[in-house]
Amino acid sequence: MPTTRARVLVVLVLLLGCLTVTGPRPATAAPALPDSLWFDETALTVRDGRFTDGHGREVVLRGYNVSGETKLAENSGLPFASVADARKSATALRALGGGNTVRFLLSWAYAEPVRGQVDPAYLSAATAQIRAFLDAGIRVYPDFHQDLYSRHLFDADSWYTGDGAPKWAVEAGSYPDEFCGICLFWGQNITQNEAVKRASYDFWHNAHGLQDAFLTTAQTTMAYIRQNVSVAQFTSIVGFDPYNEPHAGVLDSGQTSRTWERDVLWPFYERFRARMDAAGWQDKPAFVEPNLFWNANLDFQKQEGGLLDAGRLGPRYVFNTHFYDQKAISGVFMWGKAQDGQYTGDFGTVRDRAGAAGTPAIVSEFGHPLAGPVSDKAPTVLKAMYQALDSRVKGASWWSDPTASGPVLSGSQWQWDIYHGRHHELMNGNPDKVLTAGDAWNDEDLSAVRLDDAGTPVLRQDPRLLDRVYPSATSGTTVAFTYEDRSRDGSTTLTWNPVPSSLPQVARLVGTGQYGLLLWRSNSGSAPTELHLPASFPTAATTVVSDLGTAYAPPSYTPAAPVAAAPEPGGTGSRRLLLTDRDSGVLHYALVTNGASAPSPELLTAARAELSAWAAGQ
C-alpha cells in the first residue's frame, strides 16, 4: 500500500502542478516523480546476505569500472581530465551502458605524493568527479587501485608498468631491478618479478610504516569525500574497496595462501574497517577482496583462499572478487568460443562463498580483450559472464529448473574509459614511449566505450550485450531471473535461452526479441520492484506479462498502477519498469519483452495463462 506521505504528495502534484522537493537534488534535471518515488536516493545496507535499500528491497548493482585512466599519469591519477568529461561519461554510462553503479578508481600515488602530505587538490578533483556520477543517479564505491604495486618500480625502458604506491614508498625499500623474464602477460609480474613481489611483501608487513601511511591517507580521503558531498549524495556511496587484487608477493616460511589471508590480509581489512568508521563511513560496508588467485580458472594458477577463515562477514563487509577467463585470454587453453553456461560453475562458487560468509557478493571486475589475437572470443565470453551473473543455471536448463538460479550477482565490468584510443601517456615517464592506442596501459584494450570524432561517447560492444534488463530493486526476495539478450557474435545471433515449446504463446509473444523474466516472493514492502529498461526497450514497444497484470506500452507510474514505467534518477533518459504488489509471501512473476508489436489482448491473456501455470509449478 502507498504510504500516507506518498498519497499526500501525489495530491499536491495534481493540485499544484509542481513537484514538492524536501531534500537535495542532483544538479541535472529530475524526472517528474513525487519525492517518495526517488527510490535510488535511499541508503544501501547489507541485510540477510543481500544489498538492501531503505525500502527493504533487494538491490543489484550493475555497471563498470571508472576507469583505467586512473592508472595513467596523463591526467594525474584521475579518471577524467575535467568534471565536464566526468558528466559526459556518467550520462553515457547510464543511458548507453545501462549501469546504476560504478567502481571509481583512486590513486594512492597522487593522493599522497609526499609522505604524510595528502594533496587536497587531488581529493577535491576526485570528489568533484564522483559527484558527477552521483548527480546522474549512479551509485559509487571508490577503490584505491593498484597493479604490480607501483609504476615507480619499473624502469623507463621496461616492457611493463604498474600503478598504486607513490614514489616515496618505493624509495623506502631496497628492491632489486625489476625483471619478469619470459612474461607474455603483464600479470605474470605478480609472481615472477622480484621487485613487485618484495614491495608487496613489505606493504603487507608494514615495513617502513607503509601500511600505516596508506591507511591514514585512506581515512583522510574518506573523511574528505564525506564532508564534500551532500547528505543525499553520500547515501548513494555504497561502500569502499580497500585494496585491488591483493597478493602476498612472498609467503613466509610455512605459510600458505589461506593462512596468509587469515593472518595478514584479514587483519588489514579490520584496520581499514576501523578507518572507515573513524571517517564517518560506519554504516557502509567494506568491499573486501580475497587472494587474487583464489578462483582462477587455470589449475596451475589457482590458490586456496576466499577468506575462508574470516567467519561471517556481513553486514559490515561485502565479498568482492574478480573473474577473468584466463584460459580464453591465453589463446592456448581454450579453443573456440564460450558456450551457454560456460561460467555458471565459476560464478556459482562466488555465490556459495558469499552465502557461507553471510554477505552479498560483487564481481567488481570482469571482462575480455576487445582487440588482439583472442578478441574474437569477446562476444561469447562476455555474454556467458553476464549470463552467470544473472543465474547459476545455464540457458538450456533454466526454464525447467529456475529456482536453482541463486541470487542475481552484482558486477562491474572492466572498464569504461571514454579516452580509449585517444591517450597520450608517457610510459614510465619515457618521452620516447608515448602510448595512444587502446587503454594505454600494458597493451590492455577492454574499454566498452570510446569517443567518436565529434566527441560523443559510443559503445565498442554490442549494446544488446551491455544495456540489459536486470532487477535493480526487488520488493521481496528474488527467486530466479534470466535475460536473453540476443547479442551478436559477428553476424550470428546468440540465443542461449529460447522459450521452450511447452509455452507456445509465450514463445509467440517473445518471437525473435529480447526478454527478461523475474520470479520473486513479496515482502509487503511499500516501494515497487524495479527492472532496468534498456534503450532497446522503448516504453511504446515494451510488453509486460505478469500475474500483477499485462501491458503493452506500460503507462506512467501512479501508486495504483501494478505495471508501469518511469524515468530512472539522474535525468539521463534511462528508464525503469515498476511492478507493484501489495501482499507478502506470494510468488510473483513478470516477463518483459520487446518481441511482438502491438500484441492482441488475446495473446497477452494466453501468455499470462501459460506463465501462471508454469510459475505455479516452481
Side-chain angles (χ1 to χ4, degrees):
M1 290 290 290
T3 64
T4 299
R5 181 168 177 267
R7 290 195 294 269
V8 170
L9 283 169
V10 170
V11 171
L12 286 173
V13 171
L14 294 174
L15 292 177
L16 301 178
C18 65
L19 177 65
T20 299
V21 179
T22 59
R25 283 285 175 261
T28 49
L33 291 174
D35 186 59
S36 60
L37 298 185
W38 198 270
F39 297 120
D40 282 3
E41 279 193 356
T42 61
L44 204 65
T45 56
V46 171
R47 185 190 306 169
D48 299 327
R50 309 290 174 98
F51 289 115
T52 306
D53 69 9
H55 302 280
R57 298 180 303 173
E58 180 183 308
V59 170
V60 172
L61 306 176
R62 286 287 177 89
Y64 303 85
N65 283 262
V66 177
S67 71
E69 174 72 15
T70 302
K71 299 182 181 185
L72 309 182
E74 63 182 359
N75 282 328
S76 301
L78 291 166
F80 302 99
S82 67
V83 174
D85 279 0
R87 291 195 186 103
K88 177 188 291 188
S89 181
T91 299
L93 187 144
R94 190 75 148 148
L96 300 179
N100 66 5
T101 305
V102 295
R103 181 176 183 240
F104 192 97
L105 274 60
L106 299 171
S107 169
W108 178 21
Y110 286 92
E112 190 186 5
V114 178
R115 183 163 194 160
Q117 298 180 27
V118 175
D119 182 0
Y122 179 79
L123 298 189
S124 176
T127 303
Q129 293 182 12
I130 288 173
R131 286 197 299 266
F133 283 82
L134 299 172
D135 287 347
I138 297 170
R139 297 186 189 270
V140 173
Y141 62 108
D143 154 48
F144 262 118
H145 206 78
Q146 74 80 35
D147 294 284
L148 310 184
Y149 190 69
S150 173
R151 68 178 298 179
H152 300 290
L153 280 173
F154 291 84
D155 301 327
D157 60 351
S158 176
W159 287 7
Y160 299 104
T161 190
D163 67 283
K167 185 177 182 180
W168 61 260
V170 172
E171 292 175 342
S174 296
Y175 305 121
D177 189 42
E178 61 89 12
F179 179 67
C180 194
I182 302 175
C183 289
L184 301 179
F185 305 99
W186 70 260
Q188 291 176 265
N189 283 271
I190 297 169
T191 56
Q192 292 179 221
N193 190 323
E194 284 299 317
V196 173
K197 292 165 62 177
R198 292 293 170 184
S200 298
Y201 179 91
D202 278 0
F203 176 84
W204 294 118
H205 290 78
N206 199 25
H208 321 292
L210 294 172
Q211 195 176 116
D212 291 339
F214 173 79
L215 291 170
T216 298
T217 296
Q219 179 179 336
T220 302
T221 300
M222 287 185 283
Y224 185 94
I225 293 171
R226 175 71 183 87
Q227 294 161 7
N228 288 276
V229 298
S230 70
V231 172
Q233 288 170 333
F234 192 59
T235 64
S236 292
I237 296 178
V238 297
F240 208 109
D241 185 341
Y243 200 89
N244 179 68
E245 297 183 351
H247 186 262
V250 180
L251 294 173
D252 287 319
S253 177
Q255 194 175 50
T256 66
S257 58
R258 178 171 176 173
T259 59
W260 175 79
E261 280 193 349
R262 183 194 66 198
D263 299 335
V264 179
L265 181 61
W266 186 251
F268 165 76
Y269 286 146
E270 291 180 314
R271 297 183 73 198
F272 195 96
R273 173 73 263 179
R275 298 301 186 114
M276 291 179 69
D277 296 347
W281 292 52
Q282 57 267 34
D283 295 328
K284 301 182 184 299
F287 287 54
V288 293
E289 301 186 32
N291 165 32
L292 163 63
F293 295 120
W294 83 279
N295 63 339
N297 69 337
L298 287 172
D299 290 342
F300 64 81
Q301 198 177 58
K302 188 182 292 290
Q303 298 176 3
E304 189 177 20
L307 303 179
L308 292 169
D309 300 301
R312 303 281 289 182
L313 300 185
R316 287 165 57 78
Y317 300 92
V318 167
F319 187 75
N320 170 17
T321 189
H322 297 175
F323 184 80
Y324 294 92
D325 185 348
Q326 298 298 339
K327 292 181 180 179
I329 292 173
S330 72
V332 174
F333 296 100
M334 185 186 106
W335 296 100
K337 308 293 183 72
Q339 305 295 319
D340 175 24
Q342 185 94 10
Y343 306 117
T344 54
D346 297 296
F347 284 53
T349 299
V350 174
R351 287 180 172 89
D352 291 341
R353 185 67 207 101
T359 194
I362 186 167
V363 184
S364 61
E365 282 190 30
F366 63 95
H368 189 82
L370 301 182
V374 299
S375 60
D376 65 308
K377 302 179 190 296
T380 56
V381 166
L382 267 295
K383 179 180 173 74
M385 288 180 177
Y386 274 111
Q387 179 193 54
L389 287 172
D390 290 342
S391 172
R392 68 189 303 160
V393 181
K394 67 179 183 179
S397 306
W398 191 89
W399 284 91
S400 60
D401 193 20
T403 58
S405 289
V408 180
L409 290 178
S410 296
S412 304
Q413 182 177 331
W414 186 273
Q415 64 159 329
W416 189 269
D417 176 15
I418 61 172
Y419 305 119
H420 172 271
R422 295 172 176 267
H423 294 284
H424 188 83
E425 174 70 5
L426 279 62
M427 184 175 178
N428 296 319
N430 188 340
D432 296 325
K433 295 185 72 174
V434 180
L435 306 182
T436 60
D439 301 340
W441 193 85
N442 285 345
D443 294 326
E444 287 199 336
D445 193 323
L446 287 91
S447 178
V449 71
R450 64 177 179 86
L451 297 178
D452 65 14
D453 291 342
T456 302
V458 294
L459 295 178
R460 300 181 61 230
Q461 295 175 271
D462 189 340
R464 289 160 291 210
L465 171 71
L466 300 181
D467 191 10
R468 310 174 63 80
V469 173
Y470 60 91
S472 52
T474 301
S475 185
T477 302
T478 300
V479 175
F481 175 72
T482 191
Y483 180 54
E484 178 49 78
D485 57 46
R486 312 261 193 195
S487 57
R488 271 62 161 179
D489 179 11
S491 61
T492 301
T493 299
L494 301 172
T495 302
W496 290 353
N497 192 352
V499 178
S501 58
S502 57
L503 301 171
Q505 301 308 315
V506 176
R508 180 182 165 200
L509 182 69
V510 169
T512 59
Q514 300 165 293
Y515 79 88
L517 180 55
L518 174 68
L519 283 170
W520 77 100
R521 194 167 297 280
S522 59
N523 70 349
S524 68
S526 60
T529 290
E530 298 186 23
L531 288 91
H532 170 69
L533 288 176
S536 60
F537 281 70
T539 305
T542 293
T543 300
V544 181
V545 176
S546 171
D547 65 298
L548 301 174
T550 63
Y552 177 71
S556 297
Y557 179 81
T558 66
V563 179
E568 288 179 314
T572 61
S574 58
R575 294 157 302 109
R576 50 186 166 167
L577 179 70
L578 302 179
L579 304 165
T580 303
D581 62 68
R582 295 178 173 84
D583 47 40
S584 181
V586 176
L587 183 67
H588 295 287
Y589 68 84
L591 171 82
V592 54
T593 182
N594 58 7
S597 176
S600 67
E602 292 78 16
L603 178 56
L604 294 177
T605 299
R608 185 182 186 190
E610 286 184 351
L611 285 170
S612 293
W614 171 81
Q618 306 309 316

